[in-house]
Amino acid sequence: MMKNKVDVAIIGGGIIGLYTAYELHKRGVDNIAIYEKNYLGSGSTFRCGTGIRQQFGDEANIRMMKRAVEKWTGLGEEINFPKFKMAQTGYLFLLYDEDEMSRFKKNVELQNSLGVPSRIISPEEAQEIVPTLDTSEVIGASWNPTDGKANPFLAVHGLARYLRENGVEINEYTEVRDVIVKGGAVDGIKTSRGEVKAEIVLNAANAWAKIINEKLGVNFPIEPYKHQGIVSEPFKKGEIKPMVISFRHGGAYLTQKANGGIIGGIALKYGPTWDLTPTYDFLREVAKNFTRIIPALKYITIIRQWAGYYAETPDHNAVIGKVKEIDGYYISAGFSGHGFMLAPAAAEGMADLITKGSTSLPLDFYDPYRFERGELREQAVQMG
Amino acid sequence: MRIEEHPVIDFTRRRGKKVTIYFEGKPIEAYEGEPIAEALHAAGIRVMNYAPKTGRARGLFCAIGKCSSCLMKVNGIPNVRTCITLVEDGMKVERQRGLEPLPRDYRPPKWKEAKRVEADIIIIGGGPAGLMAGAKAAEHGAKVALMDENPILGGQLVKQTHKFFGKREQFAGVRGIKIAEILEKDAREKGVDIYLETSAIGIFQDGDRKLVAAVRKNKELIEFVGKAVIVATGAMEKMIPFENNDLPGVYGAGAIQTLMNTYGIKPGKRVLIVGAGNVGVILAYQLIQAGVDVIAVVEAMPKVGAYFVHAAKIRRLGVPIYTRHTILRAEGKEKVERAVIAEIDDRWQPIPGTEKTYDVDIIALAVGLRPSIELLHQAGAQIVYVRELSGYVVRHDDRLETTVRGIFVAGDSSGIEEATTAMLEGKLAGLAAALFVGAADLRAIDEMKKVRQDIEEFRSGPFGERIRIGEEKVMIR
Ligand SMILES: Cc1cc2nc3c(=O)[nH]c(=O)nc-3n(C[C@H](O)[C@H](O)[C@H](O)COP(=O)(O)OP(=O)(O)OC[C@H]3O[C@@H](n4cnc5c(N)ncnc54)[C@H](O)[C@@H]3O)c2cc1C
Ligand SMILES: Cc1cc2nc3c(=O)[nH]c(=O)nc-3n(C[C@H](O)[C@H](O)[C@H](O)COP(=O)(O)OP(=O)(O)OC[C@H]3O[C@@H](n4cnc5c(N)ncnc54)[C@H](O)[C@@H]3O)c2cc1C
Ligand code: FES
């Protein structure tokens, strides 16, 4: 039987919902429940490109990601699931013109000032890192060895197992249809399996966050966009260790997974839309652009293609905070293509906010009300 | 080992020009028109690669491009399906040992826009179902393009040297290989545009049309665009679990037929067959025709599944059929050298003390087929598991249209049956698609009625009962 009263009800069983539950549990909140309309990870999390990077262009995202990487690298041990490991194989942004170069030089300075060990390297150094790169037109690269990737399936599985063992209730195939509000404060939720009393509700429904918000008369601009990914057949491990990124080539990102296949995509997007049919244009453009970055990929076969949502906001930064209109209602959604990597820091910030009312992390940057005040952030690079 | 004399087929006349390929540097004689794996097999080479995870030797299994067991490095390109890639003079072929590194090739490919083939109807698969669908649709005025990933048209038919059963108008008494020739000729005469060695890799929506992305000869991308798609991709062989079932020499029945009946290559010297349905028993007969010893046929069921005449024929030739027996394990170093079988009890457990060991170099699995539905699944068609149709199949209506508008299915890919029903379903799908694209007129509707009657009649006997139950489960009304 599903509990009919909890302290915190979390809508959404993606990486954000799960990690936030974990951080709340660490802070001693013990009556937590997660409601997931499908199965855990089925939203964007299992469809993501697995990338984790600290190479952002603004202070808040860099600080958040620095914290997130510290947490990602320790997670496996903490939850007694050593199989989960963040692979710190680096992020390599390939640069093809002076414009890109000056932008990335500035970013690297900022990153260095905040303790991220990124640096600009030569085309030759880039080729040492990825020997099959075609560097004939590359003028340099922005390289950070402490970035990397992690397996979202293992992250979700490990966290869910830990949470269940520690008394957190995880309800799959349970849709939250409404949030019950009484006298301006949250009183509970209506689910497809009955009502549950709760004084605190967190909307971690990412691409679907708007649907619940609208019922409550609150509105933050989060829209679903269709993005796609591919994986290839495996080849010898270690050939493409870092995440390789090229804006010149359709905003391509690609890296080798643990089994030796590549995972990646390009920036081509459709929307706003709820349609998730994979498109031929994407497949063709991936083939075209990937083989220009690493020509030898022309010998490799793509074996899968899929689509998922980026929950996009106008400045491509998430919406994290307390919803002022309704007491006890919080939101952590709209991650715009980098919610997997941010999850540990976003979760820490949100758990602080719920339990203490404040956090030392720069959550203000993701203030839900910045849009209505017209204070958009500089657009963050969306891709993994 | 090549077959020089055969009662039904004259291979010496069929073979193309002699060429030389190089296997790990060693010259091997081959003939134009035959795939790499088949040529290597003829030269006694059975191990194609060593599996990435276990390091175990792997050889052919399906021989029609569906299982990836035969991957090798060809001219430096890893993971080539050698069973459907034709030899070329001077080709360099190497075994893969685990995962291959990326070739050190720094030449970005010249990106050519893909060749675009436009038609009303795109057909994937050139077996009896696909060929018949193409001919019918073309006859009713539709422009049809058809692709098949194998180098020869006819699907499973090209390996059937025996004469078919059934009704006169469905080619009873004609050998399968002959039926394939008749169907191909008919489709070509009616103007079906045919692409061989062309694998469909995905079905996509392209505005209000469908786009089938395909790759010819592992290198050329072709975009087939049409208003309707008929998927007639046939089936692939099932595998059963037993110790060492991955040893080179454990082959699907169809692979053995491909070797000996299509390319005139002796699969081995001594064969044990697992499964006494029609396929297993016909295979036994065909092996004997090709001069190969069949040691025994084992069958787990208490009764032989094959038609009585087929079973009687091989018994007369001295091949024992052991019912209530199963294979326990294959033995040998990097290739099959022995097979161990045993009797099973009512709970399907091997009975200790009943083991028998045979010296064989081939174990043929004739344990059934399952529909090839991968492309239909990818295209978003609704899939259900139906035991009576041998696995996962797509839901369809009585015009064989799936739950994706404009995508039709026919033949074994809609549920395992026979060539006769594959042809009839092909007709039906061809007519329905021709109507769908607006090419055919009302006469096609009358013809569809007639074809449906033929199908019903064919399935009406006791042998058709299973299929009738299965069809009930997939039918959308
Ligand atoms: C192709 C692609 C590549 C990407 N690459 C990267 C990358 O490399 N790095 C990176 O950091 N990020 C990447 N992302 C983004 C990343 O996947 C997301 O930002 C992240 O998974 C968001 O996690 P989440 O928990 O907020 O959302 P989700 O995983 O979508 O979880 C939300 C969950 O809420 C559930 N839900 C919705 N409504 C309800 C309801 N009413 N009741 C109950 N449950 C509900 C949904 O079913 C869903 O499971 C990528 C995304 C895509 C599509
Ligand atoms: C040993 C044996 C004996 C048989 N005896 C009889 C008999 O006596 N009477 C009888 O009626 N039936 C018999 N059959 C069954 C009959 O051969 C099959 O049912 C029939 O061939 C099915 O036709 P199909 O067109 O659906 O598929 P297939 O004949 O399997 O043809 C499918 C075609 O699709 C192609 N293809 C698949 N995927 C792709 C792709 N992605 N891209 C491009 N092309 C693709 C394949 O290359 C193949 O050529 C026998 C079968 C066997 C194995
Ligand atoms: S794919 Fe070649 S043997 Fe199966």
Side-chain angles (χ1 to χ4, degrees):
Chain A
M1 269 299 283
M2 199 166 88
K3 284 183 194 167
N4 58 14
K5 187 173 182 324
V6 299
D7 292 340
V8 182
I10 297 175
I11 310 170
I15 194 65
I16 297 294
L18 286 161
Y19 219 119
T20 311
Y22 173 63
E23 289 292 327
L24 284 166
H25 177 264
K26 275 212 286 201
R27 284 161 182 70
V29 182
D30 49 31
N31 200 2
I32 307 166
I34 296 173
Y35 304 89
E36 166 54 53
K37 69 179 161 91
N38 209 328
Y39 54 89
L40 295 180
S42 60
S44 298
T45 299
F46 281 174
R47 301 165 195 256
C48 87
T50 75
I52 299 173
R53 69 181 149 99
Q54 299 151 92
Q55 295 186 68
F56 274 81
D58 62 85
E59 182 175 337
N61 275 314
I62 298 170
R63 280 180 55 202
M64 287 286 280
M65 277 312 303
K66 186 154 180 284
R67 180 71 186 131
V69 167
E70 280 164 27
K71 295 175 73 88
W72 275 128
T73 51
L75 180 68
E77 305 246 308
E78 264 181 56
I79 58 173
N80 213 350
F81 189 59
K83 213 169 155 185
F84 175 83
K85 276 198 186 75
M86 174 180 166
Q88 284 184 291
T89 44
Y91 254 66
L92 187 68
F93 285 85
L94 300 173
L95 310 174
Y96 292 86
D97 59 47
E98 288 305 331
D99 228 37
E100 279 187 322
M101 181 58 92
S102 65
R103 212 154 31 91
F104 275 84
K105 271 190 178 149
K106 234 177 68 205
N107 289 353
V108 162
E109 266 170 42
L110 180 63
Q111 289 153 11
N112 291 168
S113 76
L114 296 164
V116 173
S118 53
R119 60 196 167 92
I120 300 292
I121 60 173
S122 68
E124 293 72 33
E125 285 173 285
Q127 206 173 45
E128 263 167 47
I129 297 166
V130 181
T132 47
L133 277 181
D134 173 15
T135 50
S136 55
E137 287 176 29
V138 173
I139 63 166
S142 180
W143 164 244
N144 176 32
T146 63
D147 292 345
K149 58 203 168 196
N151 181 328
F153 298 98
L154 293 179
V156 165
H157 177 71
L159 278 167
R161 201 188 59 166
Y162 180 90
L163 292 172
R164 285 193 174 109
E165 280 170 9
N166 286 280
V168 172
E169 186 184 81
I170 298 181
N171 302 294
E172 293 182 285
Y173 303 101
T174 310
E175 185 181 2
V176 176
R177 301 217 164 121
D178 212 342
V179 177
I180 307 165
V181 180
K182 275 194 186 145
V186 166
D187 190 53
I189 52 170
K190 271 198 194 110
T191 80
S192 53
R193 292 167 60 208
E195 288 191 12
V196 181
K197 282 254 180 215
E199 284 174 11
I200 293 171
V201 171
L202 170 65
N203 181 342
N206 208 30
W208 296 267
K210 188 178 76 167
I211 300 173
I212 301 157
N213 287 340
E214 276 172 354
K215 291 189 182 164
L216 300 171
V218 290
N219 191 16
F220 307 110
I222 301 172
E223 297 290 344
Y225 281 83
K226 170 160 83 177
H227 280 254
Q228 298 171 68
I230 59 99
V231 300
S232 78
E233 63 188 354
F235 47 90
K236 193 165 171 234
K237 291 170 196 173
E239 294 265 77
I240 309 175
K241 284 190 192 133
M243 186 72 86
V244 178
I245 297 201
S246 167
F247 293 105
R248 162 73 59 102
H249 298 102
Y253 65 93
L254 66 103
T255 189
Q256 232 176 334
K257 301 185 296 159
N259 83 335
I262 49 174
I263 182 166
I266 53 170
L268 179 66
K269 69 174 181 184
Y270 303 81
T273 176
W274 291 110
D275 169 63
L276 280 184
T277 323
T279 66
Y280 173 66
D281 285 352
F282 178 83
L283 186 62
R284 192 193 52 220
E285 291 306 306
V286 162
K288 193 196 273 183
N289 286 293
F290 281 18
T291 53
R292 286 181 180 158
I293 301 168
I294 300 180
L297 288 177
K298 66 188 173 194
Y299 300 119
I300 297 300
T301 307
I302 292 170
I303 57 171
R304 268 201 297 286
Q305 174 190 0
W306 67 90
Y309 301 123
Y310 275 22
E312 292 193 9
T313 64
D315 60 12
H316 300 168
N317 283 298
V319 173
I320 310 176
K322 194 167 159 31
V323 178
K324 288 184 212 151
E325 292 87 339
I326 303 161
D327 222 20
Y329 188 47
Y330 295 81
I331 182 165
S332 185
F335 281 89
S336 308
H338 33 257
F340 179 66
M341 60 178 84
L342 268 169
E348 177 172 312
M350 179 49 69
D352 284 347
L353 208 60
I354 291 174
T355 55
K356 300 191 304 207
S358 68
T359 174
S360 58
L361 285 165
L363 275 204
D364 287 350
F365 184 80
Y366 310 96
D367 179 0
Y369 297 91
R370 66 184 185 276
F371 306 104
E372 62 176 48
R373 289 198 307 268
E375 292 171 13
L376 267 59
R377 312 302 184 210
E378 195 183 321
Q379 277 205 353
V381 167
Q382 288 214 74
M383 73 188 32
Chain B
M1 274 178 303
R2 293 183 184 272
I3 301 169
E4 303 305 339
E5 264 176 63
H6 192 281
V8 183
I9 312 164
D10 180 1
F11 288 110
T12 48
R13 264 187 47 211
R14 257 212 211 172
R15 280 179 194 131
K17 211 177 92 202
K18 238 185 217 175
V19 295
T20 306
I21 62 170
Y22 295 87
F23 169 70
E24 316 217 302
K26 209 173 81 200
I28 304 268
E29 189 174 278
Y31 293 93
E32 261 178 9
E34 71 186 6
I36 299 164
E38 277 78 350
L40 293 179
H41 199 286
I45 296 155
R46 294 245 181 121
V47 178
M48 315 260 129
N49 62 65
Y50 294 92
K53 280 197 185 138
T54 57
R56 289 167 68 92
R58 291 281 155 82
L60 274 177
F61 179 69
C62 74
I64 50 169
K66 293 199 178 185
C67 74
S68 302
S69 189
C70 64
L71 302 183
M72 299 184 85
K73 199 151 111 178
V74 177
N75 291 339
I77 303 174
N79 296 350
V80 175
R81 286 179 294 176
T82 52
C83 69
I84 57 166
T85 303
L86 299 183
V87 294
E88 282 167 21
D89 198 29
M91 213 171 217
K92 291 190 185 66
V93 184
E94 290 159 84
R95 280 183 184 143
Q96 289 183 191
R97 290 172 172 79
L99 296 174
E100 284 292 315
L102 283 178
R104 293 300 184 256
D105 180 342
Y106 298 95
R107 291 162 303 154
K110 277 206 198 67
W111 188 269
K112 265 201 331 245
E113 284 315 312
K115 178 185 166 95
R116 222 173 151 87
V117 176
E118 311 233 353
D120 293 323
I121 302 171
I122 310 299
I123 301 181
I124 308 172
L131 285 172
M132 194 57 117
K136 259 298 154 206
E139 189 184 310
H140 282 263
K143 187 164 184 269
V144 182
L146 179 150
M147 73 197 83
D148 196 293
E149 64 182 352
N150 273 283
I152 307 175
L153 283 172
Q156 297 283 334
L157 285 181
V158 299
K159 331 168 182 171
Q160 311 311 338
T161 50
H162 64 283
K163 293 182 180 149
F164 273 43
F165 283 158
K167 286 201 348 191
R168 266 273 298 289
E169 63 252 51
Q170 264 99 52
F171 303 104
V174 184
R175 294 184 199 280
I177 34 173
K178 188 73 198 157
I179 302 175
E181 282 167 24
I182 298 169
L183 292 179
E184 172 173 355
K185 187 157 166 279
D186 190 38
R188 287 194 191 274
E189 275 171 12
K190 289 186 172 130
V192 176
D193 191 10
I194 293 171
Y195 294 80
L196 291 175
E197 291 181 81
T198 306
S199 298
I201 57 167
I203 305 174
F204 299 90
Q205 199 64 36
D206 184 50
D208 54 5
R209 295 190 298 173
K210 302 272 182 284
L211 187 152
V212 179
V215 178
R216 181 153 67 181
K217 297 192 173 195
N218 289 332
K219 29 183 183 257
E220 185 196 357
L221 181 65
I222 307 181
E223 301 167 359
F224 290 88
V225 183
K227 293 180 209 144
V229 175
I230 300 174
V231 177
T233 44
M236 69 177 283
E237 237 134 359
K238 285 184 182 166
M239 172 51 105
I240 49 169
F242 58 90
E243 200 179 322
N244 288 333
N245 65 358
D246 61 342
L247 265 190
V250 177
Y251 293 163
I256 293 174
Q257 293 184 315
T258 301
L259 279 170
M260 70 182 173
N261 297 346
T262 310
Y263 298 107
I265 294 161
K266 268 196 190 174
K269 295 196 181 87
R270 293 160 60 81
V271 181
L272 174 87
I273 298 177
V274 182
N278 274 324
V279 172
V281 169
I282 291 172
L283 178 71
Y285 186 70
Q286 293 178 349
L287 281 161
I288 296 166
Q289 266 185 338
V292 179
D293 287 346
V294 180
I295 304 308
V297 181
V298 297
E299 167 61 57
M301 302 295 281
K303 253 177 49 205
V304 173
Y307 293 144
F308 178 77
V309 272
H310 291 322
K313 211 157 152 188
I314 68 160
R315 281 199 171 109
R316 268 202 309 278
L317 290 167
V319 178
I321 304 181
Y322 297 114
T323 53
R324 277 248 158 263
H325 273 70
T326 192
I327 178 154
L328 283 188
R329 64 178 172 275
E331 292 179 347
K333 191 173 171 288
E334 295 205 348
K335 60 177 198 287
V336 171
E337 290 165 28
R338 283 171 305 281
V340 182
I341 68 166
E343 204 176 329
I344 51 177
D345 63 20
D346 293 341
R347 293 187 347 272
W348 296 73
Q349 295 305 311
I351 302 170
T354 62
E355 294 88 358
K356 287 198 234 2
T357 302
Y358 296 104
D359 285 335
V360 293
D361 58 353
I362 298 283
I363 296 170
L365 297 186
V367 292
L369 299 161
R370 67 158 182 83
S372 290
I373 55 148
E374 293 78 4
L375 284 167
L376 291 157
H377 197 177
Q378 174 269 327
Q382 199 184 335
I383 308 288
V384 281
Y385 185 84
V386 179
R387 227 185 61 199
E388 291 83 356
L389 299 176
S390 306
Y392 287 97
V393 284
V394 283
R395 303 203 63 203
H396 60 72
D397 64 12
D398 66 354
R399 299 151 48 246
L400 295 174
E401 190 175 17
T402 66
T403 53
V404 181
R405 227 176 124 60
I407 299 185
F408 297 79
V409 65
D412 277 353
S413 53
S414 84
I416 304 301
E417 243 177 304
E418 302 193 53
T420 312
T421 37
M423 285 184 272
L424 290 169
E425 284 198 342
K427 264 191 204 170
L428 189 57
L431 289 163
L435 279 164
F436 178 86
V437 302
D441 59 28
L442 294 178
R443 274 171 303 182
I445 297 182
D446 292 334
E447 213 176 320
M448 279 169 69
K449 278 198 195 116
K450 168 82 180 53
V451 177
R452 262 195 222 106
Q453 273 166 13
D454 287 345
I455 295 178
E456 263 169 43
E457 194 183 320
F458 192 82
R459 289 175 182 158
S460 63
F463 279 104
E465 192 190 345
R466 202 171 45 89
I467 302 295
R468 291 201 303 275
I469 297 171
E471 280 294 319
E472 259 325 291
K473 295 186 182 171
V474 294
M475 190 65 78
I476 308 163
R477 293 189 198 279

